[in-house]
Amino acid sequence: MAAAKRAAARRKTGPPHRRKAPRRVVKRDRHTAVKRAAARRKTGPPHRRKANVSTVGLENYLTETSAVRRLIFLRAAASIEFYLRGEGRNRPGAGLSALQPRLCSQGAQVCPEPRSIPRGCSCRCHSHTPPGSLKRSLRGPEPAQQHLQDQQCLLCSQRWDSSSSSCWVSVPVEGLASQEQFLEVAQGQCNVTFGQLACAQGIWFQDLPDDFLISLYSCLASKPPRAVDPEYSILFFSKYDTRKLLASLTMFSQQLSLSPLSLEWSGIFTNGLWQRMLRVPATETPPLLLRWLREGFEPFPLEVFSCLRAKDASCEEFQLLVAALDGIYSQLPVKEQRNIYTGIKHFLTQDESSQKCYSEAVPTLNSTAWFRNYLGSFLEHATVEDLMLFWDEPTLQKFAKDPVNMEMVGKLTLLRETALFYTLLLSSAPALPLSSLPDRLICYLSPRAVGNLNLSREEVLGAAQRLGKSCPWTKDMPGGRAPSSLASQELQVASSLVNSLEDFSPAVLGALGQAALGLSVSRIQSSIPEEQLGAALPALAGVRGWSAEQSRAIVNKLLRSGYQILDGRSLAELGTLVGGLNSSTLRSLSPDVVLEAIQLPGFAQHVDTLPSALKTILVEKVSSRVGHPAELVKLIPNALASYIPKSLLVFGEEKPTVQDLNNKPWSRDQAAVFFGDVVKAEPDLSRLSQSVLQGFTCAAASAVGAERFQELAKVMKKKNVRLGQDQLSCLQKMVTLHGIPKDLDSYPKDLLLFLSPSDYAATGNCSQFFSNIGKANGDVLPREAPRRQQLLLEALECLKVPGTQINEEHAEILGWLLCDLGGEYIRTSGGSLLKDLSRCGSFLPEQEEAIRDILSSGNTTFGPPAAWSAFTLSELSGLIPVLDHSILQEIPKKALTTWLRNFSWDSPVSREELATIIGELLPHRHKREDGCPADLKITEAVLDDNLMPTFYTPEQLHACLRNVSLEGHFSQIFTYPFNIPQLAVLKEYLDERYPNGYPENLLSNLGDLLSLITPEEISTWNMSSADTLAAFLKSNPPDSLASAAIIRYLGLGNALNATALNAIGTRYVCLLNATDLEAIDPSSLGLASLNPSACSQEAKNILYQKAKKAFSDQHRLPAYYELISPYLGGAPAVDLKALSKDNVNMNVTTFVALRRDSLMLLTPREVQGLLGMNLPELAQWQNWAPVRDWILLQKQSELDKLHVGLTGGTQEGYINLVTPKFPAPSSAPLGTVAMALHLLPALLLSFLMVSSLS
């Protein structure tokens, strides 16, 4: 009777599809009960007859047992593990997934397809939990408890006694675990299964240590999950005390945060933990859930969101989860934030027919604070496409204007296009008052938005002031690109605001603040009265970020209005506009005016943004009025320090203070000049700055003593000083001079590049050695250097890498050495190396091919290119230059566009590489445009947008450039990534506008247009000043164009002064012919920084003699060698012999580049004097010219005295018969001819001796 009553109760309360034919169900139950009683009398409880609960066993068990058992089974087992993606017969759960349709077909609604269910999460068939009621069924204590009893009975192989409503005692298939075995897991002994642990007595869980979950995971991680493990997880965590569970999860998170769980076990643990958290009384749920997510959630990846979706979690539950995750948002790395956002989006959009947790008709779901409730701070990672996927535009506008959402958005940094879209939603009719717009969104007011708002003059000025205060205007860009996307957007906003004004009085210009950058050159020239410009100067001089064209237009107009620069104060009053002065105006100023100006703080802080040519002039002016280099160092602003010529940093007796030197950002070559003086005079080496310490030289270090040198080396480690290859080579010799130190970790990491694992043995093992190598500055060694390849081979041997397979642990240790792996390693390791390789910067052809093959295959975590998103491209930004046309055309155009708008400008991708991508976005077939389409008209806003190249095909650009002036935008527009066809259109435009040669202000801004310019065109340019030449050469044109520019410059009668020589620099100095070189004044060369080592011998000879004269005043000072060393390739033997007495410690690379005839005249003793501590390296060069030729001319006995292993010299009593290679008589120095005549008798004597012996 009891069974019948319970069955009747279920018929009344169960789902409609289970209420059919109640009498038949009752009869079946009674019949089964009779059979069961008879079976018990014969053989005992059924669990003793069935010992197998495998997949097949469960299926048979379901078929053979009663309807009551079927109900229990459907409640607990129907959800078991079919969710695991059965991608092959050997995958966990592949067998049980086939059982799912049958289980759910007993009248239940079928669960989702297996591939849509995450690993480790069980789906619940709706036969027992109608849609929307999961929360109630789980949180109610009685149904939840009943469900756990069902699980305990089924999963632990126990039988349900319907008469007593309890489980019969039984022995599970795996056997019961004893309490001793249970607790042994905490000690790392894995002798029990997860099922045995889940079936253990609840009281045993009270004595578990807090690190039990760590030990448990270590035991489980090595085993493949089983089909029933997700249900075991629910049972296992249900027995944990809440507080003890939180303590265990906190420790679990701390231990495994750096090595997350596998996808399978993450889902299994999440399956049980989520159920456990929801069973806690409702009043405690929010803080408990929050604590779990803050303290214990970190190891669990995104599967939790798919798991919640499969479990049909309610919107209220999901809102709790988002609120808890929002609480830890700032603590998460960006990648994890993005991953979690992907999970949130998946939950909200997986079921397209759902209401996505908003409905005006449902009181609990009608809040318009939807962004705050269901996205939180993760809105920062939402694209416009995502928002449109969530809701239509009217609904989004309703959400955007919600005060709670607006308050949150005001604190977030949205993606650029998302911020633009959000701002447009707020400004759409009915538009919000501008005062209600969050400050951060002021930066994204588009021209359309400004037009929608219909602002008054006062509102425009108010918005301008907020724009200046709220938006970061000075964002730096990688690769020298400018402006950034953010700055570009601000310029558009400023331009939109300024264009709505007609009055530009001093008061208005002052109120605009940073928004004054929106003034176009044409408006500066036409709308600002000259007589009012002087009154507005204080405001305009404080605006940061003027373009060259804007500042030039303002300054020229100011000077025409009668403004005079008579003293330092009037020069300083120009502030940020000082860059608008042309070089001829600045050169005309008195040095006293410049000296006074740079001592005014208001002027010094604006010098940093000046063009290089103007900085050089300022240094020349100041140095001409300062009596001593020490005073120059004290007076010169930091922004000008790197422009001080090396010859002016030789201090002599009067030296600057350490504080004065420490405060300046010196170059390595500059610091090398005074490094010796500083280390001798400074007792506390730790006071020296990184900038000073980078000037380390062998000569200076060898003079301080061994103990002090060790101190110096360790200080360089603490200050993270980056040294060059020659410096590190010297450092290595000195550190190891008296043996390998046992504390090598106390020295600069880069030093290890020149040591071996055996040298490091006293400090650590080879794995630690290569871990430090991987973090060192690999750029010290050239890409093709044998030492790099040797280090890589030694690292692979140390790590015992099997074949060509590199795992993640190996990759972390190898660091930058990964960048030298061959293509076969990259292919074999699959996609696991891609993120590390994206930081390499450049690749060899075979590496590029391997990377393309992997990316094309789609067998990576990024998927096939056709599935990539903008975020994928952001993660792969370092590999984008490797992508070829076949890959680029597969990437969705929307993903490329979104990436360009939001991420590309902060990536290391060059302008040329961006142009390639833009070429993929433009249509490849198009007709010639007869006119410019109305929606493509080129406006100020378009010219200020660095995405302008994406707006126009070449034909459209040609049509739309008519009657448009680009003159005020040269410094911007040629930084944009136009492709070659678009650049050809721009060049045609310039050629039409300037048929007699481009103007000077354009030559420094040609950018990629250089690839279309010919030397013949350059011959027509007005290259009338050294500053113009410097501006052009700064764009790094190819040698043919640079040579044409230099010839044009000299052809117009200009001299090779210091400005011109610095502009020509080391890269182009070899383009000068002998006539040009002879015309250089030594004093100008002394103020330049050149290295002619790659030039012809004739050029090196000429420049050495001029440099020797230029530095003659410093000949007796230690710094002389640092000044003259770049020119030593032209030094005669007599000067080298004199230099050998000065303890210069010449590096071997300089030695082998000396004049050959001079080197051959040096004795072994003189070579030792020149090389000093670098002498042992000579042995590595003895088989190559010119060292080999020099050795053949020396006596072996003299070479042996060097004790460096040189062989091949002349033995006593013998003469090496070497045929001298003499220059042509017309150019042979007298010393060479004399040497040949001197050797002639010896050659004849040798011939006679050989003849007589034969």
Side-chain angles (χ1 to χ4, degrees):
M1 290 296 292
K5 288 181 180 180
R6 280 196 299 272
R10 280 194 294 272
R11 286 196 300 273
K12 292 179 180 179
T13 59
H17 64 269
R18 299 296 294 163
R19 298 174 189 166
K20 296 178 182 179
R23 293 180 182 178
R24 291 176 57 192
V25 173
V26 172
K27 288 179 180 179
R28 225 178 12 248
D29 287 347
R30 288 174 180 172
H31 177 69
T32 304
V34 173
K35 289 178 65 177
R36 189 169 60 245
R40 278 200 303 271
R41 287 195 296 273
K42 292 180 179 180
T43 60
H47 69 273
R48 297 194 181 278
R49 301 194 308 276
K50 288 189 176 287
N52 184 9
V53 194
S54 64
T55 302
V56 178
L58 284 173
E59 187 171 4
N60 294 335
Y61 191 46
L62 173 66
T63 304
E64 296 173 2
T65 53
S66 67
V68 174
R69 180 171 305 285
R70 188 176 296 113
L71 287 173
I72 297 172
F73 191 87
L74 280 171
R75 187 162 190 171
S79 59
I80 296 177
E81 193 52 40
F82 99 97
Y83 59 88
L84 279 179
R85 300 167 185 171
E87 300 166 357
R89 296 181 180 179
N90 297 325
R91 291 297 299 247
L96 201 61
S97 63
L99 180 60
Q100 172 63 26
R102 179 173 181 179
L103 297 178
C104 285
S105 68
Q106 307 290 332
Q109 180 178 334
V110 177
C111 281
E113 289 297 320
R115 65 175 59 92
S116 68
I117 308 297
R119 298 167 178 156
C121 169
S122 30
C123 161
R124 305 222 167 271
C125 295
H126 292 164
S127 55
H128 309 292
T129 309
S133 67
L134 177 64
K135 177 187 67 168
R136 293 186 292 276
S137 69
L138 289 178
R139 284 192 178 168
E142 291 182 4
Q145 187 62 36
Q146 180 65 54
H147 176 63
L148 291 173
Q149 289 175 355
D150 294 347
Q151 285 183 307
Q152 179 77 26
C153 293
L154 178 71
L155 298 176
C156 299
S157 300
Q158 295 170 344
R159 294 299 304 277
W160 181 262
D161 187 348
S162 59
S163 61
S164 62
S165 298
S166 64
C167 292
W168 290 351
V169 178
S170 66
V171 179
V173 177
E174 299 160 329
L176 288 173
S178 65
Q179 185 175 11
E180 181 180 4
Q181 289 177 305
F182 185 76
L183 296 177
E184 283 177 352
V185 174
Q187 302 171 6
Q189 300 183 30
C190 310
N191 299 321
V192 292
T193 66
F194 193 34
Q196 289 175 304
L197 293 173
C199 293
Q201 298 181 34
I203 194 171
W204 295 353
F205 284 72
Q206 296 178 8
D207 300 324
L208 293 180
D210 289 347
D211 62 352
F212 183 80
L213 287 182
I214 298 173
S215 303
L216 173 62
Y217 178 68
S218 299
C219 288
L220 297 177
S222 60
K223 304 173 184 178
R226 300 182 307 167
V228 293
D229 281 339
E231 293 295 328
Y232 277 135
S233 176
I234 295 174
L235 189 60
F236 176 82
F237 286 110
S238 72
K239 299 179 180 181
Y240 247 107
D241 173 74
T242 303
R243 303 301 167 187
K244 182 172 284 293
L245 178 57
L246 275 178
S248 294
L249 285 171
T250 300
M251 185 172 291
F252 186 72
S253 173
Q254 294 169 351
Q255 182 73 19
L256 296 178
S257 59
L258 298 179
S259 54
L261 306 181
S262 66
L263 294 180
E264 289 86 356
W265 283 109
S266 171
I268 290 169
F269 273 39
T270 301
N271 199 55
L273 284 169
W274 187 255
Q275 299 289 95
R276 179 70 181 86
M277 293 301 166
L278 292 180
R279 286 207 341 272
V280 178
T283 56
E284 194 179 354
T285 296
L288 181 60
L289 187 61
L290 182 61
R291 281 190 59 189
W292 173 42
L293 292 171
R294 281 182 175 170
E295 301 170 11
F297 183 73
E298 191 167 354
F300 299 94
L302 282 177
E303 270 59 24
V304 64
F305 296 99
S306 298
C307 191
L308 297 181
R309 193 69 181 173
K311 287 176 175 294
D312 197 21
S314 69
C315 292
E316 292 89 339
E317 289 169 353
F318 188 72
Q319 187 175 334
L320 285 175
L321 175 63
V322 172
L325 287 170
D326 194 57
I328 61 171
Y329 180 84
S330 60
Q331 304 168 27
L332 299 171
V334 173
K335 180 182 176 182
E336 193 63 29
Q337 293 173 359
R338 195 170 290 160
N339 286 342
I340 291 176
Y341 168 73
T342 302
I344 292 174
K345 183 175 75 170
H346 175 73
F347 180 90
L348 292 170
T349 60
Q350 185 178 9
D351 184 1
E352 295 182 1
S353 63
S354 71
Q355 291 296 318
K356 301 185 183 70
C357 294
Y358 175 75
S359 173
E360 292 182 344
V362 180
T364 58
L365 296 178
N366 64 359
S367 171
T368 55
W370 192 88
F371 292 143
R372 180 62 181 170
N373 293 341
Y374 299 105
L375 295 179
S377 300
F378 297 94
L379 182 62
E380 287 189 331
H381 301 282
T383 65
V384 173
E385 290 73 27
D386 292 343
L387 296 182
M388 297 302 292
L389 189 63
F390 293 142
W391 299 104
D392 56 24
E393 192 165 333
T395 306
L396 289 173
Q397 186 178 5
K398 191 186 308 180
F399 293 165
K401 295 179 180 180
D402 182 273
V404 175
N405 288 334
M406 287 178 60
E407 181 183 1
M408 178 188 74
V409 169
K411 301 174 183 176
L412 301 180
T413 304
L414 302 181
L415 297 178
R416 178 193 179 193
E417 64 169 348
T418 306
L420 286 167
F421 181 68
Y422 199 105
T423 307
L424 193 60
L425 290 173
L426 294 177
S427 59
S428 299
L432 287 176
L434 189 63
S435 58
S436 301
L437 202 68
D439 285 345
R440 288 201 177 188
L441 295 185
I442 285 286
C443 310
Y444 295 95
L445 276 170
S446 64
R448 176 182 166 189
V450 172
N452 289 343
L453 292 170
N454 194 23
L455 302 176
S456 66
R457 177 176 174 275
E458 289 70 24
E459 287 176 319
V460 168
L461 296 180
Q465 291 171 1
R466 291 175 67 193
L467 185 70
K469 294 176 182 177
S470 304
C471 306
W473 290 81
T474 54
K475 188 173 182 181
D476 294 329
M477 287 303 301
R481 294 198 315 270
S484 72
S485 58
L486 184 59
S488 171
Q489 179 58 39
E490 290 162 353
L491 288 174
Q492 293 180 61
V493 177
S495 179
S496 300
L497 292 172
V498 169
N499 286 340
S500 64
L501 294 173
E502 297 296 334
D503 172 27
F504 290 100
S505 65
V508 170
L509 291 173
L512 282 176
Q514 282 294 123
L517 292 180
L519 286 165
S520 65
V521 172
S522 60
R523 298 212 73 178
I524 291 171
Q525 293 171 340
S526 63
S527 301
I528 303 177
E530 286 185 1
E531 61 274 10
Q532 296 185 5
L533 197 57
L537 181 60
L540 297 177
V543 175
R544 305 180 309 280
W546 294 111
S547 70
E549 292 88 354
Q550 287 174 313
S551 59
R552 191 179 299 115
I554 294 173
V555 169
N556 288 344
K557 194 165 190 175
L558 185 67
L559 294 176
R560 287 197 302 271
S561 70
Y563 187 87
Q564 292 183 313
I565 304 175
L566 301 176
D567 54 19
R569 188 164 299 279
S570 56
L571 175 60
E573 284 176 353
L574 292 177
T576 57
L577 292 168
V578 71
L581 289 170
N582 59 46
S583 57
S584 58
T585 302
L586 192 57
R587 285 188 185 278
S588 68
L589 298 180
S590 163
D592 292 324
V593 170
V594 175
L595 183 60
E596 180 186 353
I598 66 165
Q599 297 179 69
L600 298 172
F603 181 79
Q605 67 181 357
H606 300 311
V607 170
D608 191 33
T609 58
L610 294 182
S612 298
L614 297 188
K615 289 181 178 180
T616 301
I617 295 172
L618 290 176
V619 171
E620 290 176 5
K621 294 285 183 182
V622 174
S623 62
S624 69
R625 295 299 296 163
V626 172
H628 196 276
E631 187 180 357
L632 176 64
V633 169
K634 185 174 182 177
L635 292 175
I636 208 77
N638 287 359
L640 298 178
S642 61
Y643 290 83
I644 300 178
K646 291 191 296 182
S647 58
L648 298 182
L649 294 174
V650 181
F651 301 128
E653 295 297 327
E654 186 178 343
K655 297 178 176 57
T657 66
V658 171
Q659 183 176 359
D660 288 339
L661 290 171
N662 278 341
N663 290 337
K664 299 292 189 290
W666 307 110
S667 70
R668 184 179 295 163
D669 289 340
Q670 285 177 312
V673 174
F674 55 77
F675 180 79
D677 292 335
V678 174
V679 294
K680 287 178 185 176
E682 177 53 49
D684 184 4
L685 295 175
S686 64
R687 290 182 58 206
L688 300 181
S689 69
Q690 184 187 63
S691 176
V692 171
L693 289 169
Q694 69 173 334
F696 169 85
T697 64
C698 249
S702 62
V704 300
E707 183 177 348
R708 189 161 163 78
F709 172 77
Q710 299 293 329
E711 178 190 353
L712 174 63
K714 293 179 179 180
V715 167
M716 287 194 287
K717 163 66 183 294
K718 292 177 182 177
K719 297 291 180 75
N720 195 27
V721 178
R722 304 192 79 172
L723 302 176
Q725 183 177 4
D726 291 333
Q727 292 173 307
L728 287 167
S729 178
C730 169
L731 184 67
Q732 177 259 331
K733 295 184 187 74
M734 297 192 69
V735 166
T736 60
L737 189 61
H738 301 292
I740 306 293
K742 296 181 179 180
D743 59 343
L744 279 174
D745 285 345
S746 301
Y747 296 87
K749 272 190 176 67
D750 296 350
L751 183 67
L752 299 180
L753 295 169
F754 300 89
L755 297 173
S756 65
S758 59
D759 296 329
Y760 191 78
T763 304
N765 58 35
C766 72
S767 180
Q768 291 172 302
F769 174 79
F770 285 108
S771 179
N772 286 325
I773 286 282
K775 297 179 181 113
N777 178 22
D779 293 337
V780 167
L781 300 174
R783 186 67 185 265
E784 301 79 14
R787 179 61 184 158
R788 283 179 70 119
Q789 289 301 313
Q790 181 184 352
L791 284 171
L792 178 60
L793 293 174
E794 290 176 349
L796 296 175
E797 182 181 355
C798 163
L799 299 177
K800 297 180 173 57
V801 173
T804 54
Q805 179 72 40
I806 304 292
N807 59 34
E808 291 183 7
E809 183 181 355
H810 296 152
E812 184 177 357
I813 292 174
L814 289 173
W816 63 266
L817 284 171
L818 276 175
C819 303
D820 289 359
L821 288 172
E824 69 278 8
Y825 283 92
I826 296 173
R827 283 191 181 86
T828 307
S829 302
S832 62
L833 300 182
L834 291 178
K835 290 183 181 178
D836 297 300
L837 290 171
S838 68
R839 294 190 287 267
C840 291
S842 63
F843 302 97
L844 299 174
E846 65 158 335
Q847 293 176 312
E848 292 185 349
E849 185 179 352
I851 292 170
R852 282 193 292 269
D853 289 345
I854 292 172
L855 291 172
S856 299
S857 71
N859 296 325
T860 70
T861 55
F862 304 107
W868 288 358
S869 67
F871 296 113
T872 308
L873 292 168
S874 178
E875 290 188 66
L876 291 173
S877 61
L879 298 179
I880 286 178
V882 177
L883 306 183
D884 57 12
H885 174 69
S886 63
I887 296 178
L888 287 172
Q889 67 180 357
E890 290 185 38
I891 302 172
K893 285 188 171 16
K894 194 62 185 176
L896 285 171
T897 304
T898 302
W899 177 77
L900 281 169
R901 289 176 178 168
N902 297 285
F903 303 109
S904 64
W905 313 103
D906 296 324
S907 76
V909 181
S910 70
R911 186 170 58 232
E912 295 82 0
E913 291 156 353
L914 286 175
T916 300
I917 295 174
I918 287 176
E920 294 292 331
L921 293 174
L922 296 173
H924 296 288
R925 292 186 178 181
H926 28 70
K927 63 179 182 178
R928 186 85 177 180
E929 295 285 345
D930 295 329
C932 181
D935 60 336
L936 291 180
K937 183 180 178 181
I938 296 179
T939 63
E940 292 289 332
V942 170
L943 292 172
D944 286 336
D945 194 334
N946 47 23
L947 283 179
M948 179 184 174
T950 65
F951 303 158
Y952 301 92
T953 65
E955 288 74 15
Q956 290 170 339
L957 184 62
H958 181 273
C960 294
L961 277 175
R962 296 171 186 167
N963 303 319
V964 173
S965 174
L966 300 181
E967 188 171 355
H969 297 270
F970 287 151
S971 62
Q972 284 176 267
I973 198 169
F974 290 112
T975 66
Y976 298 166
F978 290 104
N979 60 22
I980 295 299
Q982 291 172 323
L983 288 172
V985 172
L986 290 172
K987 185 176 184 301
E988 182 182 350
Y989 167 89
L990 293 175
D991 291 343
E992 291 175 357
R993 285 296 182 98
Y994 308 107
N996 298 321
Y998 297 164
E1000 285 193 36
N1001 64 328
L1002 172 59
L1003 300 186
S1004 59
N1005 297 299
L1006 292 175
D1008 292 338
L1009 202 63
L1010 285 171
S1011 61
L1012 303 178
I1013 292 174
T1014 65
E1016 290 73 23
E1017 290 174 301
I1018 294 177
S1019 65
T1020 66
W1021 290 356
N1022 183 25
M1023 198 74 68
S1024 60
S1025 71
D1027 303 322
T1028 306
L1029 177 67
F1032 175 72
L1033 295 181
K1034 189 178 179 181
S1035 60
N1036 296 318
D1039 286 356
S1040 59
L1041 299 186
S1043 179
I1046 294 170
I1047 291 172
R1048 176 62 174 168
Y1049 169 79
L1050 295 173
L1052 292 174
N1054 300 299
L1056 287 174
N1057 56 24
T1059 302
L1061 290 175
N1062 277 315
I1064 291 169
T1066 297
R1067 176 171 178 177
Y1068 301 119
V1069 68
C1070 298
L1071 300 177
L1072 298 173
N1073 58 39
T1075 303
D1076 299 332
L1077 295 172
E1078 291 287 4
I1080 296 174
D1081 186 90
S1083 62
S1084 296
L1085 185 64
L1087 297 175
S1089 181
L1090 302 176
N1091 187 340
S1093 58
C1095 299
S1096 68
Q1097 190 60 58
E1098 182 183 22
K1100 289 189 282 190
N1101 293 346
I1102 295 172
L1103 288 173
Y1104 172 78
Q1105 294 299 332
K1106 291 186 175 291
K1108 181 182 177 181
K1109 186 174 182 180
F1111 306 133
S1112 58
D1113 292 344
Q1114 292 97 356
H1115 182 66
R1116 298 297 176 187
L1117 298 173
Y1120 174 73
Y1121 177 72
E1122 297 300 330
L1123 299 174
I1124 199 67
S1125 60
Y1127 304 95
L1128 287 177
V1134 62
D1135 289 353
L1136 295 175
K1137 289 174 181 288
L1139 204 59
S1140 69
K1141 302 173 184 178
D1142 293 339
N1143 188 32
V1144 295
N1145 287 276
M1146 179 185 290
N1147 60 60
V1148 177
T1149 53
T1150 300
F1151 177 79
V1152 297
L1154 296 176
R1155 268 173 58 172
R1156 189 179 186 281
D1157 61 322
S1158 299
L1159 192 153
M1160 296 302 142
L1161 294 176
L1162 298 176
T1163 66
R1165 179 73 64 182
E1166 289 163 343
V1167 169
Q1168 183 179 30
L1170 284 173
L1171 296 178
M1173 293 197 64
N1174 298 313
L1175 181 65
E1177 286 188 44
L1178 199 60
Q1180 301 173 18
W1181 291 79
Q1182 63 179 320
N1183 295 322
W1184 288 273
V1187 177
R1188 179 194 58 202
D1189 301 335
W1190 174 79
I1191 289 174
L1192 292 174
L1193 295 176
Q1194 312 307 316
K1195 291 183 179 180
Q1196 185 61 47
S1197 59
E1198 294 298 316
L1199 295 175
D1200 292 340
K1201 293 177 183 179
L1202 300 179
H1203 304 291
V1204 293
L1206 298 180
T1207 59
T1210 305
Q1211 299 294 334
E1212 294 294 335
Y1214 292 87
I1215 297 177
N1216 280 341
L1217 297 179
V1218 182
T1219 304
K1221 297 180 181 179
F1222 302 125
S1226 60
S1227 61
L1230 291 177
T1232 304
V1233 177
M1235 182 178 72
L1237 295 174
H1238 176 71
L1239 289 175
L1240 185 59
L1243 292 172
L1244 293 173
L1245 179 61
S1246 299
F1247 175 75
L1248 292 173
M1249 289 177 64
V1250 172
S1251 299
S1252 62
L1253 289 173
S1254 62

